[in-house]
């Protein structure tokens, strides 16, 4: 992940909602006494996992599962501060080039073997190996100095880098250590898609492709054991289906579509069983413009298309005021956000004029602009199951038609869509990112970071942007980094490799039988420590336990 999240993740478009903008408050579920062990938690996956090998993660859903099966080298706590994971202690050299980690001597893999420094070294080598195609994780370790990275002894490893990088420590949260004695055998890319041996608190009990992943708590887990015995990660792509499953107790949590959240959050008939939450995380929605498609290689065309987005109506009508219009790659709560960069406003007449300057005019009078005899036709890919994504696309389709652009909407299953995007087999796609704690967008936009090396799925290239990203990740002065990223914000907003749309506050429904649910200010409910590993199920609610659809 980088969801950090840690690696940045491709995912379904985020969902928002509400009436007028209410105050956001973090709310904990009420506790009935002390946490209790046992029970079955049923979580929702909006798309199936692509691989159980965490090095090959390509979406947030892969990381959601990996979080249970693997323990990262370091955790990030609720405030996104590094805390011990597999490493119980670490030291960083004054020049920021050398990290020494001391592994917890208690740590073991699920097959009983101890976690050794050699396993960390093996995992790092797999991450930086181009053959692994670790597109989500590799950018965080691109500067690794393999010649000087070494295991000192079984419990100590030194990780060296060629260049110092601000925020490097947080990327070790993405280092989910693999046992070398298992993952060095066979085909690394194919043999571990459906099986896993990790150092996490759960083991894989069953995976049914397209249906569910079932995890069982390890009896021999080496540190603080989670409370829940069984975790079922159920694939439910459709929003309405997921809501009905939450309402009937078939699943325990789901993100909620805007209108549904607005309609149901104060429903007294549901207040006894469902808790409704709303919060912002470090995320945003956007349209990715694949610059392999010739019309989209022109920044004037990309800007004109962005001017067709009815952003005010989207915030007002789709998200009922509980979203923020975005101007670029940093969210308003990040220090890298430049408040002087304006949001691109809806302007169809201006869009048509800008297209004309790029040579796109309606020569034959059919309502569609063309250049050199080729009409401006685009396919916008959206993820299946997203009612909000569909409504967004339909609104945009109507606006673009008025500006002379023919937009076709293509609804694709989440896993297949991600595969197409990574391969560059698309024109435009409506997506979202979960962002890292450190505002380094190098993996997303640097010209060297096209897949499989990184996550520059739009194939963007700009020498000034490259230079700023290189400076921003290596500058240690926070004040100087801020200047760099404010300028980068301006450059990217001018070039529009993405059409940034909105940062949507997330809406969640959680069955009240699940206790201990807390939020991180940056990550929301998941992927921080202890996060979802601290949840527990009230004994009175365990009659709802089930492990299959």
């Amino acid at each position: 992940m980088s969801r950090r999240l840690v690696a940045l993740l491709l995912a379904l478009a985020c969902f928002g909602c509400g009436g007028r903008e209410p105050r956001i408050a973090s709310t904990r579920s009420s506790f009935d006494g002390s946490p209790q062990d046992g029970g079955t938690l049923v979580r929702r996956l909006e798309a199936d996992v692509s691989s159980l090998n965490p090095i090959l993660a390509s979406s947030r859903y892969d990381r959601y599962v990996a979080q249970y099966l693997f323990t990262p080298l370091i955790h990030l706590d609720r405030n996104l501060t590094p805390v011990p994971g597999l490493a119980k202690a670490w030291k960083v050299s004054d020049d920021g080039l050398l990290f020494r980690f001391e592994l917890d001597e208690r740590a073991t893999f699920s097959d009983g073997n101890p976690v050794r420094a050699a396993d960390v070294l093996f995992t790092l080598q797999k991450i930086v190996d181009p053959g692994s195609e670790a597109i989500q994780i590799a950018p965080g370790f691109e500067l690794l100095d393999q010649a000087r990275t070494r295991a000192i002894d079984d419990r100590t490893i030194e990780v060296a880098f060629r260049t110092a990088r601000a925020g490097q420590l947080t990327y070790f949260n993405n280092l989910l250590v693999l046992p070398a004695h298992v993952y060095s055998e066979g085909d690394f890319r194919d043999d571990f898609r459906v099986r896993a041996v990790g150092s996490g608190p759960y083991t894989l009990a069953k995976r049914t492709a397209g249906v569910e992943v079932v995890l069982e708590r390890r009896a021999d887990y080496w540190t603080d054991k989670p409370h829940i015995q069984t975790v079922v990660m159920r694939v439910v792509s459709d929003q309405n289906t997921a809501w009905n499953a939450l309402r009937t107790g078939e699943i325990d949590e789901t993100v909620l579509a805007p209108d549904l959240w607005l309609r149901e959050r104060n429903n007294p008939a549901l207040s006894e069983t469902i808790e409704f939450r709303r919060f912002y995380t470090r995320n945003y929605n956007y349209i990715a413009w694949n610059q392999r498609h010739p019309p989209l290689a022109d920044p004037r065309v990309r800007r004109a298309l962005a001017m067709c987005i009815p952003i005010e109506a989207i915030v007002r009508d789709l998200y009922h005021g509980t979203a923020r219009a975005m101007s670029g790659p940093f969210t308003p709560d990040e220090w890298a956000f430049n408040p002087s960069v304006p949001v691109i406003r809806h302007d169809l007449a201006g869009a048509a004029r800008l297209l004309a300057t790029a040579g796109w005019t309606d020569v034959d009078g059919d309502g569609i602009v063309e250049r050199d005899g080729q009409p401006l036709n685009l396919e916008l890919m959206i993820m299946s199951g997203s009612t909000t994504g569909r409504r967004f696309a339909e609104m945009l389709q109507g606006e673009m038609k008025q500006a002379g652009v023919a937009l076709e909407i293509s609804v694709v299953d989440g896993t297949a869509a991600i595969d197409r995007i990574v391969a560059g087999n698309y024109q435009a796609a409506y997506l979202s990112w979960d962002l890292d704690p450190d505002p380094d967008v190098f993996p997303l936009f640097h010209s060297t970071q096209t897949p499989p090396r990184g996550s520059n799925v739009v194939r963007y290239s700009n020498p000034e942007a490259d230079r700023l990203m290189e400076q921003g990740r290596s500058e240690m002065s926070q004040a100087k980094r801020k200047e760099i990223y404010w300028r980068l914000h301006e450059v990217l907003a001018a070039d529009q490799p993405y059409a940034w749309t909105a940062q949507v506050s997330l809406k969640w429904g959680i069955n009240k039988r699940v206790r201990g649910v807390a939020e991180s200010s940056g990550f929301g409910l998941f992927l921080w420590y202890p996060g979802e590993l601290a949840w527990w199920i009230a004994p009175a609610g365990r009659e709802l336990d089930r492990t299959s659809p």
Side-chain angles (χ1 to χ4, degrees):
M1 193 253 32
S2 185
R3 184 183 127 124
R4 276 123 182 73
L5 219 189
V6 159
L8 298 173
L9 305 176
L10 283 170
L12 301 183
C14 299
F15 304 96
C17 205
R20 295 183 315 166
E21 177 79 29
R23 181 177 63 87
I24 297 180
S26 293
T27 312
R28 288 180 178 268
S29 298
S30 59
F31 283 72
D32 292 339
S34 300
Q36 302 291 308
D37 288 349
T40 297
L41 172 74
V42 184
R43 285 186 53 185
R44 178 195 175 198
L45 292 175
E46 294 169 60
D48 197 9
V49 296
S50 59
S51 177
L52 294 177
N53 184 337
I55 304 304
L56 307 182
S58 61
S59 78
R60 66 163 68 104
Y61 310 110
D62 295 342
R63 181 62 190 256
Y64 281 174
V65 175
Q67 188 77 352
Y68 290 100
L69 296 171
F70 298 86
T71 300
L73 193 63
I74 64 166
H75 285 297
L76 297 178
D77 68 11
R78 190 174 187 176
N79 297 314
L80 308 187
T81 300
V83 294
L86 284 177
K88 66 180 183 181
W90 54 85
K91 293 181 180 179
V92 184
S93 63
D94 291 341
D95 60 7
L97 295 176
L98 192 65
F99 294 72
R100 176 177 284 214
F101 294 96
E102 182 181 351
L103 301 181
D104 194 313
E105 61 277 0
R106 300 170 298 170
T108 60
F109 293 109
S110 58
D111 64 0
N113 284 282
V115 179
R116 296 185 172 94
D119 299 306
V120 181
L121 184 61
F122 169 81
T123 306
L124 282 167
Q125 291 168 342
K126 285 298 183 182
I127 288 172
V128 299
D129 179 359
S132 299
E133 298 188 9
I135 64 170
Q136 294 294 334
I137 305 171
F141 297 93
E142 184 181 34
L143 301 173
L144 183 73
D145 186 338
Q146 294 192 64
R148 295 196 302 124
T149 295
R150 63 196 181 105
I152 304 298
D153 55 41
D154 268 0
R155 297 294 178 183
T156 311
I157 184 168
E158 284 187 346
V159 184
F161 293 89
R162 299 187 301 274
T163 303
R165 175 178 175 182
Q168 181 64 62
L169 182 60
T170 63
Y171 283 87
F172 285 98
N173 176 256
N174 231 17
L175 184 57
L176 304 183
V177 177
L178 305 174
H181 66 277
V182 175
Y183 285 78
S184 62
E185 302 292 331
D187 188 305
F188 183 76
R189 287 194 54 79
D190 291 333
D191 290 353
F192 302 99
R193 290 183 179 274
V194 295
R195 67 187 182 99
V197 177
S199 59
Y202 288 81
T203 59
L204 177 67
K206 180 178 69 171
R207 186 204 172 191
T208 305
V211 179
E212 66 182 12
V213 179
V214 181
L215 311 170
E216 289 291 336
R217 185 177 60 185
R218 282 177 59 182
D220 64 341
Y221 187 52
W222 49 277
T223 186
D224 296 335
K225 292 183 175 65
H227 301 292
I228 295 172
Q229 177 62 38
T230 304
V231 177
V232 180
M233 310 290 281
R234 185 159 299 157
V235 180
V236 186
S237 60
D238 182 75
Q239 284 289 315
N240 291 326
T241 301
W243 166 244
N244 288 330
L246 177 68
R247 192 167 48 83
T248 58
E250 295 176 70
I251 63 175
D252 288 309
E253 54 83 11
T254 181
V255 66
L256 299 176
D259 293 341
L260 190 150
W261 187 88
L262 178 64
R263 182 179 68 246
E264 302 290 1
R265 65 192 175 102
N266 293 319
N267 184 341
L270 299 173
S271 62
E272 291 298 315
T273 58
I274 297 174
E275 181 178 5
F276 293 88
R277 301 279 189 97
R278 185 176 85 87
F279 46 85
Y280 282 107
T281 62
R282 296 187 182 185
N283 68 279
Y284 59 71
N285 293 357
Y286 65 100
I287 299 174
W289 306 121
N290 185 358
Q291 291 160 54
R292 281 183 177 174
H293 184 55
L296 298 175
D298 189 333
R300 294 172 296 178
V301 172
R302 299 194 298 266
R303 174 168 285 271
L305 297 175
M307 293 165 71
C308 295
I309 299 172
I311 189 62
E312 294 88 352
I314 286 167
V315 170
R316 181 186 65 245
D317 299 334
L318 283 190
Y319 301 120
H320 304 281
T322 64
R324 302 163 172 168
M326 288 287 294
S327 63
F330 308 115
T331 63
D333 295 325
E334 292 183 276
W335 55 263
F337 176 82
N338 185 343
S340 68
V341 177
V343 170
I344 293 180
R345 295 298 177 184
H346 182 232
D347 182 358
L348 295 180
R353 289 193 298 270
L354 190 53
L355 287 173
T357 67
W360 294 92
T361 57
D362 184 10
V363 176
D364 56 12
D366 66 350
I368 303 300
V369 298
E370 56 196 34
R371 189 179 68 181
D372 300 329
Q374 296 297 317
L376 187 50
N377 298 323
L378 291 175
E379 178 193 46
L380 176 67
M381 185 164 56
I382 64 172
M383 306 293 189
S384 61
S386 170
T387 55
T388 310
R390 164 69 83 168
R391 290 177 60 191
F392 170 89
E394 290 172 347
M395 291 172 68
L396 182 59
Q397 184 181 52
E399 299 299 317
M400 283 193 173
K401 184 176 181 180
Q402 295 183 60
V405 180
L407 184 70
E408 177 186 351
I409 300 170
S410 178
V411 182
V412 182
D413 169 75
T415 303
I418 291 169
D419 289 342
R420 280 184 56 184
I421 291 163
V422 171
N425 182 25
Y426 76 104
Q427 293 178 359
Y430 185 48
L431 303 166
S432 73
W433 273 128
D434 294 326
L435 304 179
D436 290 338
D438 188 81
D440 178 14
V441 294
F442 184 96
L444 298 184
F445 300 114
H446 197 275
S447 60
T448 64
Q449 296 300 300
T450 56
R453 190 171 184 179
S455 298
N456 183 357
V457 297
V458 292
R459 279 70 183 177
Y460 172 68
S461 178
N462 177 316
E464 183 184 5
D466 280 358
R467 177 179 56 80
L468 290 167
M469 285 182 277
E470 291 161 8
Q471 292 175 347
R473 64 178 358 206
S474 60
E475 176 58 59
M476 296 301 176
S477 165
Q478 178 84 349
K480 291 180 180 179
R481 288 191 85 202
K482 184 175 181 178
E483 292 178 4
I484 292 167
Y485 283 128
W486 278 33
R487 174 57 187 158
L488 180 61
H489 192 158
E490 293 174 345
V491 171
L492 292 175
D495 274 357
Q496 290 290 294
Y498 296 170
W500 286 275
T501 58
Q503 182 195 24
V504 182
S505 60
L506 298 185
K507 285 79 177 171
W508 229 271
I510 306 162
N511 192 305
K512 286 188 173 181
R513 78 189 192 107
V514 182
R515 309 296 173 86
V517 181
E519 300 150 19
S520 160
S521 59
F523 283 6
L525 301 180
F526 310 125
L527 303 178
W528 54 278
Y529 188 79
E532 61 268 52
L533 299 179
W535 295 8
W536 58 282
I537 296 175
R542 293 181 188 171
E543 70 277 2
L544 297 177
D545 285 355
R546 61 187 76 195
T547 59
S548 61

